[in-house]
Amino acid sequence: QVQLVESGGGLVQPGGSLRLSCAASGLTFSNYCMGWFRQAPGKEREFVGAITWSYTHFADSVKGRFTISKDNTKNTVYLQMNSLKAEDTAVYYCAAARNRVDFQYSRWSDYTYWGQGTQVTVSS
């Protein structure tokens, strides 16, 4: 019933940009925090960014390069990635979390629903 579908990944050169989309169904954005995580080969899943009650948050590694926006008419969250680096190469996941008093937006285990992921490869 709840479904998150990522799209927009692909191959991009260093310094380039990509815009990832996360189309949500079966949930209301206002009731969920939406987050982006990524997992690179051989690395742990790491927090990228999140939007919680209209506030956006970003990991230090992407701050200033990535932005998050949403289109409520399409029930879609976007991750705009600029100035991409090779170390940004990873599978990117969209996630949704129900509000909890102890919710931490950067903690992947706090999220309830996950998309299938979309591959982002930054290479020349």
Side-chain angles (χ1 to χ4, degrees):
Q1 48 188 9
V2 174
Q3 188 176 34
L4 305 177
V5 180
E6 301 100 332
S7 62
L11 176 65
V12 64
Q13 295 182 353
S17 299
L18 281 176
R19 188 193 194 196
L20 305 184
S21 299
C22 174
S25 61
L27 60 82
T28 302
F29 280 3
S30 62
N31 294 333
Y32 288 84
C33 298
M34 304 298 297
W36 288 94
F37 292 78
R38 68 187 183 186
Q39 188 161 20
K43 293 187 176 181
E44 301 290 331
R45 190 183 320 184
E46 66 175 349
F47 170 74
V48 176
I51 181 166
T52 59
W53 311 111
S54 297
Y55 290 92
T56 56
H57 312 268
F58 298 96
D60 289 341
S61 59
V62 306
K63 192 174 182 63
R65 300 188 296 121
F66 291 10
T67 58
I68 293 176
S69 61
K70 62 180 180 180
D71 185 343
N72 289 329
T73 65
K74 298 180 179 179
N75 222 36
T76 300
V77 175
Y78 303 95
L79 179 68
Q80 178 67 47
M81 306 185 295
N82 301 319
S83 302
L84 284 162
K85 307 173 181 178
E87 49 263 45
D88 294 318
T89 296
V91 176
Y92 283 71
Y93 297 92
C94 177
R98 290 173 290 182
N99 269 80
R100 291 182 289 270
V101 294
D102 60 345
F103 174 73
Q104 296 184 19
Y105 56 79
S106 63
R107 188 164 60 191
W108 69 266
S109 61
D110 280 9
Y111 288 78
T112 304
Y113 304 106
W114 293 84
Q116 82 285 358
T118 185
Q119 177 70 48
V120 173
T121 302
V122 184
S123 176
S124 59

